[in-house]
Amino acid sequence: MTKYIFVTGGVISGVGKGVATASIGRILKEYGYSITAVKIDPYINCDAGTMRPTEHGEVWVTEDGGEIDQDLGNYERFLEISIPKLNNITTGQIYKTLIEKERRGDFLGETVSFIPHVPDEIKRRIKKAGDGFEIVLVEIGGTIGDYENIPFLFAAKSLEAEIGINNVCHIMVTYLPIPGHLSEMKTKPTQLSIKLLRENGISPDFILCRGKTALDEPRKKKIEVYANLKSDCVISAPDVVGPGTADTIYVVPLNFEKDHFGKKLMDRLGLSKKKEPNWSAWSEMVRRISAAPNVVNIALVGKYLDIGDFQLKDSYLSVAAALSHGGAANNVRVNIDWINSKDIESWKTDLSKYDGIIVPGGFGSNGVEGKILAIEFARKNNIPFLGLCYGMQLAVIEFARNVCNLDANSVEINPNTPHKIIDILPGMQGQDLGGTMRLGGYLAQLKPGSRIEAIYKTSEVSERHRHRYEVNPDYHDTLEKGGLVISGKSKDGRLAEFVEIPGHKFFIATQAHPEFKSYPMRPSPIFYEFIKSCIKN
Ligand code: GLN
């Protein structure tokens, strides 16, 4: 019988449910169980593809082309598995399916109602995602008390009634604020969240207490009494990123295990360990990320929107993760400076102090000229450069303009440009905007003798994609004559997948997003080699 662990969040959003879920998954994997994870997003969008990353964080791309909330990325990184798009459930998908079924006549004669049809469809999807796995983690996005959460909590309760309380467990991740004027950790918001969860018929089996510092005994006692739980079910989860911490989320499973969380969870679900966990490689990776002796400094040139007093670095989460994996494998810490491309346009930033420059993916014309200047600087000054997706398209534009002397641009930026070096190819035009890009894993053939072939140590590689535009095949020859090597192409030779400049310390760009296939102990080869070049630099 498959076991289900539901993870909900109390008090505030952004409390770290995703990392907690991923960490729990990793722990149970270490005990020998086959694990998968499902993310529920209670919004009406069918997927995250049309949402603004600066508001919602990065859009994660699955191997099968799903555009998903970034939490799925953490699940993949912690669990080292590929998770399909069906593991993301949104309110939009549920209603779309029900309405399509109703129109088809599947419910002929029936009234289609919120109860039972909505929770039934949610349960059907959760079970389908969990098919064949021993344990399924289900993270319900948002915060307890949100109106949007209700159908999902109802479905969780209903699944519990259906398969029995021994097969379902509930974890609430909560936050304990320390108001500045009191300097004391407060438990009241957590108490209220427990109350709200109970109003939905769900009693938490474990409370994970996030906070700036660890939970002390008196507060633990308060929560324990309020929640009617045994004290070992209240688990402290202090911040792991920031000054005075390990400064990496990968320490979380190790911290949980200090509290024997894995054993407690297995006990609750009537399971016993299938193997002895081995955390040695994981601990070494954590040690290197937080304490490797040397540091490389990377400029990540992006388009950053201020959100009030905050800036959301989450829009490039997987790039930062892949850099830290590449750093750990090279035994260096990676410091990322988030450079606003607008500041480069006005020459406010000096890029010469960096060991390497990255231009990541992006959309639209905002800030592109600054990114192009950064690429020109890296090319001319022999600074290691990695271009990802838009970063490759802009590198090609830079090369076309400054080496091939073409008045070139992408039609995404200027539809009337004389040389449409980045163009929309037939078949990609005139469609809806949701879910219609080139999405998911695609194979590239690597050029024999190229640097990229040496990096991947293979002649064919599959990376994930998310883009609408392509390097215009009509210009491949011109670019190659100018000295840009198109070192990876789609099988039919039409699409440029990798470009490189021979003789440069490291000048590689790809139409793909290799950051989506990088794991803490198994970095993406291209990120690993980029960091290696940055160290030499
Ligand atoms: N805007 C570009 C395109 O759609 C690049 C997309 C990206 O960087 N993910 O082709």
Side-chain angles (χ1 to χ4, degrees):
M1 166 69 83
T2 304
K3 310 270 181 180
Y4 295 85
I5 299 175
F6 285 91
V7 181
T8 49
V11 180
I12 53 168
S13 62
V15 73
K17 288 192 301 293
V19 171
T21 305
S23 301
I24 293 164
R26 181 73 208 192
I27 291 171
L28 296 169
K29 181 180 170 138
E30 285 296 328
Y31 282 106
Y33 284 95
S34 68
I35 313 283
T36 193
V38 172
K39 175 71 195 292
I40 287 175
D41 286 307
Y43 41 66
I44 294 177
N45 303 56
C46 286
D47 59 37
T50 55
M51 286 193 275
R52 193 176 294 122
T54 40
E55 240 164 67
H56 198 80
E58 158 190 284
V59 177
W60 171 261
V61 182
T62 59
E63 195 65 24
D64 61 352
E67 297 173 281
I68 317 278
D69 177 273
Q70 60 182 20
D71 285 318
L72 230 73
N74 277 329
Y75 304 164
E76 285 205 13
R77 285 187 280 266
F78 278 72
L79 292 171
E80 293 185 85
I81 54 169
S82 174
I83 296 182
K85 63 181 165 194
L86 100 116
N87 287 38
N88 181 232
I89 304 172
T90 74
T91 300
Q93 292 169 14
I94 301 294
Y95 278 91
K96 188 166 180 270
T97 304
L98 288 177
I99 291 167
E100 280 169 1
K101 277 187 172 176
E102 187 275 334
R103 292 290 79 187
R104 247 191 348 247
D106 292 12
F107 299 113
L108 223 51
E110 266 183 78
T111 306
V112 185
S113 312
F114 175 66
I115 309 275
H117 294 98
V118 169
D120 280 355
E121 176 60 19
I122 296 169
K123 279 194 296 177
R124 187 188 70 78
R125 284 174 181 251
I126 292 175
K127 287 187 206 158
K128 193 164 173 217
D131 194 25
F133 291 91
E134 290 166 306
I135 303 175
V136 186
L137 290 138
V138 186
E139 177 189 350
I140 303 184
T143 312
I144 306 295
D146 289 346
Y147 295 119
E148 297 90 344
N149 271 340
I150 293 169
F152 300 102
L153 296 174
F154 196 97
K157 186 69 197 166
S158 155
L159 185 69
E160 184 189 293
E162 189 183 314
I163 64 172
I165 195 155
N166 293 336
N167 298 314
V168 177
C169 155
H170 299 282
I171 300 173
M172 189 172 101
V173 186
T174 182
Y175 188 75
L176 291 105
I178 308 177
H181 65 293
L182 297 175
S183 314
E184 180 199 318
M185 193 175 250
K186 303 304 283 181
T187 62
K188 185 66 75 191
T190 295
Q191 296 178 26
L192 295 176
S193 288
I194 295 168
K195 185 165 175 246
L196 279 171
L197 190 59
R198 291 220 165 109
E199 282 172 12
N200 288 282
I202 294 174
S203 261
D205 296 292
F206 296 93
I207 313 265
L208 278 181
C209 298
R210 293 273 304 105
K212 201 169 167 44
T213 56
L215 193 66
D216 61 11
E217 275 310 313
R219 275 153 199 85
K220 199 169 190 178
K221 191 86 209 154
K222 255 190 190 172
I223 296 174
E224 189 189 310
V225 170
Y226 196 90
N228 250 326
L229 280 174
K230 282 194 267 140
S231 79
D232 60 358
C233 296
V234 180
I235 293 179
S236 175
D239 283 353
V240 294
V241 175
T245 68
D247 219 13
T248 168
I249 54 172
Y250 299 123
V251 78
V252 173
L254 303 178
N255 287 353
F256 284 172
E257 274 306 75
K258 283 186 200 151
D259 255 332
H260 310 288
F261 194 20
K263 165 101 176 52
K264 291 174 192 174
L265 270 166
M266 288 188 295
D267 286 350
R268 166 63 184 78
L269 291 168
L271 301 170
S272 47
K273 65 181 169 200
K274 288 176 139 189
K275 77 169 186 63
E276 220 37 73
N278 179 358
W279 291 103
S280 56
W282 189 278
S283 305
E284 175 59 11
M285 172 271 296
V286 168
R287 190 198 63 73
R288 288 178 176 200
I289 292 180
S290 54
N294 297 315
V295 182
V296 289
N297 288 299
I298 308 294
L300 204 145
V301 182
K303 177 172 83 175
Y304 302 97
L305 272 185
D306 290 334
I307 304 173
D309 285 340
F310 302 98
Q311 281 194 330
L312 217 56
K313 310 274 163 61
D314 274 7
S315 13
Y316 303 112
L317 189 77
S318 293
V319 177
L323 284 170
S324 77
H325 308 157
N330 279 293
N331 200 16
V332 286
R333 273 173 295 140
V334 180
N335 169 52
I336 304 172
D337 276 1
W338 308 84
I339 312 284
N340 191 339
S341 53
K342 286 256 161 81
D343 289 343
I344 297 179
E345 284 170 23
S346 52
W347 296 108
K348 278 196 224 145
T349 306
D350 173 18
L351 290 174
S352 63
K353 61 178 181 207
Y354 291 103
D355 303 313
I357 296 173
I358 294 197
V359 176
F363 292 85
S365 56
N366 218 332
V368 287
E369 291 304 325
K371 294 182 189 176
I372 292 174
L373 282 172
I375 296 166
E376 182 182 358
F377 189 85
R379 182 176 59 79
K380 289 187 171 160
N381 294 289
N382 206 10
I383 297 177
F385 165 77
L386 177 60
L388 304 168
C389 202
Y390 212 19
M392 176 177 110
Q393 297 177 356
L394 298 175
V396 169
I397 294 171
E398 191 280 321
F399 197 86
R401 284 184 188 173
N402 299 326
V403 180
C404 306
N405 294 314
L406 299 174
D407 184 2
N409 214 334
S410 166
V411 295
E412 181 177 4
I413 304 163
N414 175 10
N416 301 317
T417 181
H419 292 281
K420 298 182 166 79
I421 201 107
I422 308 295
D423 205 352
I424 196 146
L425 299 191
M428 296 298 285
Q429 275 148 324
Q431 299 170 334
D432 287 348
L433 288 183
T436 56
M437 283 187 264
R438 184 165 176 249
L439 291 166
Y442 284 95
L443 271 183
Q445 319 247 255
L446 307 181
K447 190 172 178 144
S450 65
R451 179 130 186 222
I452 199 70
E453 187 203 43
I455 287 174
Y456 279 108
K457 300 185 177 73
T458 167
S459 57
E460 205 174 65
V461 69
S462 169
E463 294 285 8
R464 298 184 191 172
H465 292 67
R466 180 174 187 253
H467 61 112
R468 204 175 297 283
Y469 301 88
E470 304 281 353
V471 177
N472 187 339
D474 295 345
Y475 287 92
H476 284 189
D477 278 350
T478 315
L479 291 163
E480 297 231 75
K481 272 188 199 123
L484 187 75
V485 174
I486 303 180
S487 51
K489 285 186 182 174
S490 58
K491 238 185 174 122
D492 62 5
R494 251 165 60 83
L495 310 180
E497 292 283 10
F498 291 90
V499 300
E500 60 186 73
I501 297 181
H504 192 284
K505 272 184 198 150
F506 188 105
F507 192 103
I508 293 185
T510 170
Q511 187 58 74
H513 289 276
E515 67 272 23
F516 293 140
K517 280 169 88 167
S518 185
Y519 306 90
M521 297 181 297
R522 207 159 29 92
S524 153
I526 197 166
F527 278 85
Y528 173 77
E529 289 295 335
F530 172 67
I531 295 288
K532 195 169 229 167
S533 301
C534 294
I535 297 170
K536 283 192 199 141
N537 193 35

